Amino acid sequence: MLAKELNLSVATVSKALRDSYEINVKTKEKVIELARKLNYIPNPYASSLRRKNSKTIAVVLPDVADSFFSLVVNGIHTVAAEKGYHALIYLTFEDFQKEAEILRDCQSGRVDGVLISVSETTTSLQHINQVIASDIPLVFFDRACEDCKVSQVITDDFDSCYAAAELLISKKCKKICFLAASSNISIFKKREEGFKKAMQDHKHRLSASSIQLCEGSPSESMAIIRRLLKSKNRPDAIIASTERLVTEVYRVAQENKIQIPKQLKVISFTNLPTADILSPSLTTITQPAYEMGRQAARLLFSRIEKPANRNIIEKMMLPSLIEQRASTA
Amino acid sequence: MLAKELNLSVATVSKALRDSYEINVKTKEKVIELARKLNYIPNPYASSLRRKNSKTIAVVLPDVADSFFSLVVNGIHTVAAEKGYHALIYLTFEDFQKEAEILRDCQSGRVDGVLISVSETTTSLQHINQVIASDIPLVFFDRACEDCKVSQVITDDFDSCYAAAELLISKKCKKICFLAASSNISIFKKREEGFKKAMQDHKHRLSASSIQLCEGSPSESMAIIRRLLKSKNRPDAIIASTERLVTEVYRVAQENKIQIPKQLKVISFTNLPTADILSPSLTTITQPAYEMGRQAARLLFSRIEKPANRNIIEKMMLPSLIEQRASTA
DNA sequence: TTGAAAGCGCTAACAG
DNA sequence: CTGTTAGCGCTTTCAA
């Protein structure tokens, strides 16, 4: 350490810099001043190595070019910054393989904990359970795995979708279609169930085409939506279970001159900042993304900081907000 | 290292794991197998400490909840992953102070290089020059500082804005207004200059209200836009120099029943995925965000990997694309 | 082909 | 209050 020009030991300097109570005030001042003059910045990796913690967390998610996830990231970053932690963002691009590699890397000591929203192609849970087994705190946000014994922050997926369906039913829609995003993510399943339950409770028939699974590439889902909206048995309402589907519904409706909301009412889960200025403005189920990020980070830090908390499994459910706009008028 | 159950030295194991030529093939196999069985994952920080590089880069930007920046991040991540590097995302939230702290931290050995798009409130360049002085490669993307002697990847801001103005002029607009986003970021200045030049070249008068500076909070810019659109001398066309301003133009137009494009034509710099389904669809100047991320990362890695390249200053300019839609019909 | 030893920069434990 | 020593987990000579 260069700050030994003061004829002090590295230990003293180290303590002075971290404002230890056992160092003379005068000495501290001298050290701090010289450190600034020399632009000395401690190496965090050396510190990590010694202290066996990294003061950084991993945030593993499918994609950041998504209004929901990007807001979550903001929330996480905010809490992390307050806590003096770094947040390492890992993008899976919905690829299970990549996700597994990332979680593997998370066990290297690089991070003290991980926040994750799983990819759509994630089938096995082994990579996640391995992290947990390594005693590295892990918390799910939004796309959680039910079968993992860890904490999670999700929204009221069932209820909000139930309410969305009821809203459409109250508008006299007869053929409501639910666009499912993935067959193996629990929150999407819950959304689907909320939809089904509302349909049943209101004695609406569920046909084979009431639920359309739109997995895969944008062009694949586009094709499915196109087929759906051009069929003679076209639905009169759509609930999109995720943002990436709703833009395509709008495009297909536009290209086929299907009028929203007159011929087709639309509701979507989304945090698009432009929902209110779309043509027509879109009725949304808006998740409290930023807050979810904050809460997930909080849960994680409480486990990182207090190992005793690691066994307690908290399932936090935040309410989404339905904002009615022209697409369901 | 636990893999000493094989009666091998740590040195041998280390070499075997990194597939060194000086290790017996048989030994390598044994080591690798046991490593897998024991789920051994090397500690990257120990490695960093010893090798004096971190295999990670910093990405410093204002906000990730922005369609442009989030795409850039995707591009950067993709290249970083190919190169086996980690990308640490730092968010400044347009705060100069925070940006300075972050760049300070970048000199700790935590990262091998930094990619940055400066915040709107960044006035001094000292924090950036300090990074450069520490011989840590730094590359700007989009919001670059002209006065720093380093490489950058930007778009043809002057030209694209010139073209946007010409487009509006060709549509017979008489009172075109440019919404400026920041007074001290060079790309915004260039956009403004492109606008001014087009106006001059076409003999359009530039009045005091031709350029409106919309700095500060969303509500502040909203107020400015509201005042602008309600004035008796209301413009008949607007060029928004950044995405966050255009959504507000749309809202204000809507709340005041100003018809776009009939009474007001609008063009904006933006990468919003919903530009085509807005009401009305928006004419955009779209920057090649993903590609900018890729290129900036490439420039950075070439400097990280070859110190000889560090002195060469490359200014890469990528073309934006003007997509004409209903807002300028 | 393998191993012993040194050391990256820091902090914790313990003496002084 | 300050310093000495040891060692975090790895890689790199250099020697065997």
Side-chain angles (χ1 to χ4, degrees):
Chain A
M1 218 195 292
L2 286 179
K4 238 185 331 192
E5 311 197 358
L6 293 164
N7 286 341
L8 287 173
S9 73
V10 283
T12 309
V13 171
S14 171
K15 287 174 193 162
L17 252 15
R18 312 201 295 98
D19 200 27
S20 161
Y21 66 96
E22 40 176 346
I23 301 295
N24 184 307
V25 182
K26 285 273 183 222
T27 319
K28 277 188 200 169
E29 284 172 2
K30 266 193 300 203
V31 171
I32 290 169
E33 195 193 357
L34 189 68
R36 192 175 39 238
K37 214 171 75 192
L38 264 44
N39 194 35
Y40 167 75
I41 298 151
N43 182 312
Y45 295 155
S47 165
S48 286
L49 202 56
R50 184 62 238 249
R51 303 170 60 145
K52 293 179 155 310
N53 67 203
S54 62
K55 288 280 179 188
T56 109
I57 60 169
V59 182
V60 184
L61 40 68
D63 186 9
V64 81
D66 175 292
S67 62
F68 171 74
F69 286 128
S70 59
L71 288 169
V72 174
V73 167
N74 279 172
I76 293 170
H77 258 272
T78 305
V79 176
E82 284 166 8
K83 291 275 184 184
Y85 274 70
H86 284 249
L88 206 39
I89 309 283
Y90 289 92
L91 271 22
T92 64
F93 296 113
E94 305 285 10
D95 179 13
F96 175 40
Q97 200 54 47
K98 201 167 269 172
E99 183 176 287
E101 280 162 25
I102 291 166
L103 287 200
R104 204 183 128 70
D105 183 74
C106 286
Q107 295 164 65
S108 67
R110 193 191 290 279
V111 298
D112 297 342
V114 1
L115 291 172
I116 182 171
S117 208
V118 299
S119 105
E120 286 180 358
T121 57
T122 296
T123 43
S124 149
L125 299 183
Q126 220 195 299
H127 59 312
I128 294 170
N129 286 325
Q130 195 132 83
V131 172
I132 299 168
S134 309
D135 198 36
I136 294 165
L138 180 147
V139 171
F140 287 107
F141 60 92
D142 202 47
R143 283 146 72 149
C145 296
E146 288 302 298
D147 302 334
C148 290
K149 300 272 165 284
V150 289
S151 297
Q152 56 180 52
V153 176
I154 54 172
T155 50
D156 55 345
D157 296 286
F158 182 96
D159 291 345
S160 54
C161 217
Y162 186 98
E166 275 198 324
L167 169 60
L168 292 172
I169 290 168
S170 78
K171 301 281 184 183
K172 312 274 183 264
C173 294
K174 297 300 174 209
K175 287 178 292 186
I176 307 177
C177 177
F178 178 85
L179 298 185
S182 157
S183 45
N184 53 207
I185 291 188
S186 74
I187 59 161
F188 291 127
K189 274 186 242 159
K190 285 187 203 150
R191 290 175 191 180
E192 186 171 326
E193 277 154 26
F195 164 72
K196 284 193 212 160
K197 186 67 164 50
M199 294 290 273
Q200 283 164 212
D201 288 355
H202 289 272
K203 309 272 187 284
H204 273 241
R205 215 183 71 248
L206 278 166
S207 72
S209 60
S210 298
I211 292 170
Q212 298 282 335
L213 180 58
C214 301
E215 277 177 322
S217 72
S219 64
E220 288 175 271
S221 18
M222 188 77 154
I224 292 168
I225 292 166
R226 201 173 273 132
R227 188 165 353 103
L228 178 72
L229 293 188
K230 289 172 106 163
S231 76
K232 55 181 175 295
N233 198 31
R234 190 219 291 163
D236 58 4
I238 279 182
I239 298 178
S241 62
T242 186
E243 173 172 318
R244 55 162 242 271
L245 298 172
V246 77
T247 47
E248 302 182 348
V249 169
Y250 265 59
R251 288 194 185 112
V252 173
Q254 232 164 50
E255 83 189 18
N256 290 290
K257 309 249 185 295
I258 298 169
Q259 288 170 47
I260 303 174
K262 202 169 155 196
Q263 302 171 48
L264 181 71
K265 303 208 194 307
V266 181
I267 298 184
S268 180
F269 278 85
T270 180
N271 288 70
L272 277 176
T274 49
D276 64 328
I277 53 175
L278 289 186
S279 167
S281 65
L282 173 65
T283 293
T284 59
I285 303 169
T286 306
Q287 299 181 88
Y290 183 82
E291 189 58 22
M292 288 176 80
R294 288 187 66 90
Q295 294 302 340
R298 258 187 230 295
L299 289 189
L300 184 67
F301 285 123
S302 99
R303 278 152 188 77
I304 289 174
E305 290 168 352
K306 267 191 87 183
N309 288 342
R310 292 187 191 179
N311 303 316
I312 105 151
I313 300 176
E314 228 163 320
K315 307 222 172 189
M316 188 178 279
M317 188 181 278
L318 268 34
S320 295
L321 184 67
I322 297 196
E323 301 194 66
Q324 284 190 243
R325 300 207 182 83
S327 69
T328 54
Chain B
M1 222 197 286
L2 286 180
K4 238 186 329 192
E5 313 197 356
L6 292 164
N7 285 341
L8 287 173
S9 73
V10 284
T12 308
V13 171
S14 170
K15 287 174 192 161
L17 252 15
R18 313 204 295 102
D19 200 28
S20 161
Y21 67 94
E22 41 176 340
I23 302 294
N24 185 306
V25 181
K26 286 271 182 223
T27 321
K28 277 189 200 169
E29 284 172 2
K30 267 193 300 205
V31 171
I32 289 169
E33 196 194 355
L34 189 69
R36 193 176 38 238
K37 215 171 72 189
L38 264 43
N39 194 35
Y40 167 75
I41 298 151
N43 182 311
Y45 296 155
S47 164
S48 285
L49 202 56
R50 184 61 234 248
R51 302 170 64 144
K52 294 180 155 307
N53 68 204
S54 62
K55 288 278 179 188
T56 109
I57 60 169
V59 182
V60 185
L61 40 68
D63 186 9
V64 83
D66 175 293
S67 63
F68 172 74
F69 286 128
S70 60
L71 287 170
V72 174
V73 167
N74 278 173
I76 293 170
H77 257 272
T78 304
V79 176
E82 283 166 9
K83 291 275 183 183
Y85 274 69
H86 283 249
L88 206 38
I89 308 282
Y90 289 91
L91 270 22
T92 63
F93 295 112
E94 305 285 10
D95 179 14
F96 174 41
Q97 200 54 46
K98 201 168 268 171
E99 183 176 289
E101 279 163 25
I102 291 167
L103 287 199
R104 207 183 125 69
D105 183 74
C106 286
Q107 295 164 65
S108 67
R110 192 190 291 278
V111 298
D112 298 342
V114 2
L115 291 171
I116 182 172
S117 209
V118 299
S119 105
E120 287 181 357
T121 56
T122 296
T123 44
S124 149
L125 299 183
Q126 221 195 297
H127 60 312
I128 294 172
N129 285 326
Q130 196 133 79
V131 172
I132 299 168
S134 309
D135 198 36
I136 293 165
L138 180 148
V139 171
F140 288 107
F141 60 92
D142 202 47
R143 283 144 74 148
C145 297
E146 288 301 297
D147 301 334
C148 289
K149 299 274 166 279
V150 289
S151 297
Q152 55 180 52
V153 176
I154 55 172
T155 50
D156 55 346
D157 295 285
F158 182 97
D159 291 345
S160 54
C161 217
Y162 186 97
E166 274 197 326
L167 169 60
L168 292 172
I169 290 168
S170 78
K171 301 282 183 182
K172 313 271 182 268
C173 294
K174 297 298 173 212
K175 284 179 293 185
I176 307 176
C177 176
F178 178 84
L179 298 186
S182 157
S183 45
N184 54 207
I185 291 188
S186 75
I187 59 161
F188 291 128
K189 274 187 242 159
K190 285 188 204 150
R191 291 175 191 180
E192 185 171 328
E193 277 154 25
F195 164 72
K196 283 194 212 162
K197 186 67 164 46
M199 295 290 273
Q200 282 163 215
D201 288 356
H202 289 271
K203 310 272 187 285
H204 273 242
R205 217 182 68 248
L206 278 167
S207 72
S209 60
S210 299
I211 292 169
Q212 297 282 336
L213 180 58
C214 301
E215 276 177 323
S217 71
S219 65
E220 288 175 272
S221 18
M222 188 77 154
I224 292 169
I225 292 166
R226 201 172 272 132
R227 186 163 357 100
L228 178 71
L229 292 188
K230 290 172 107 163
S231 76
K232 54 179 176 299
N233 198 31
R234 190 221 291 164
D236 57 6
I238 277 182
I239 298 177
S241 63
T242 187
E243 174 171 317
R244 53 163 244 269
L245 298 173
V246 76
T247 48
E248 302 182 348
V249 168
Y250 266 58
R251 288 193 185 110
V252 173
Q254 231 163 50
E255 84 188 18
N256 290 289
K257 308 251 186 293
I258 297 169
Q259 289 171 46
I260 302 173
K262 202 170 156 194
Q263 300 170 40
L264 181 71
K265 303 206 193 311
V266 181
I267 298 183
S268 180
F269 277 85
T270 179
N271 288 71
L272 277 175
T274 50
D276 64 328
I277 53 174
L278 290 186
S279 166
S281 65
L282 173 65
T283 293
T284 58
I285 302 169
T286 306
Q287 299 181 88
Y290 183 83
E291 189 57 22
M292 288 175 80
R294 288 187 66 92
Q295 295 302 341
R298 257 186 231 296
L299 290 188
L300 184 67
F301 284 123
S302 100
R303 279 152 188 75
I304 289 174
E305 289 169 353
K306 267 190 86 182
N309 287 342
R310 293 187 190 179
N311 303 316
I312 106 150
I313 300 176
E314 227 162 322
K315 308 222 173 190
M316 187 179 279
M317 187 181 279
L318 267 35
S320 295
L321 184 66
I322 297 196
E323 301 194 65
Q324 285 191 243
R325 300 207 183 82
S327 70
T328 53

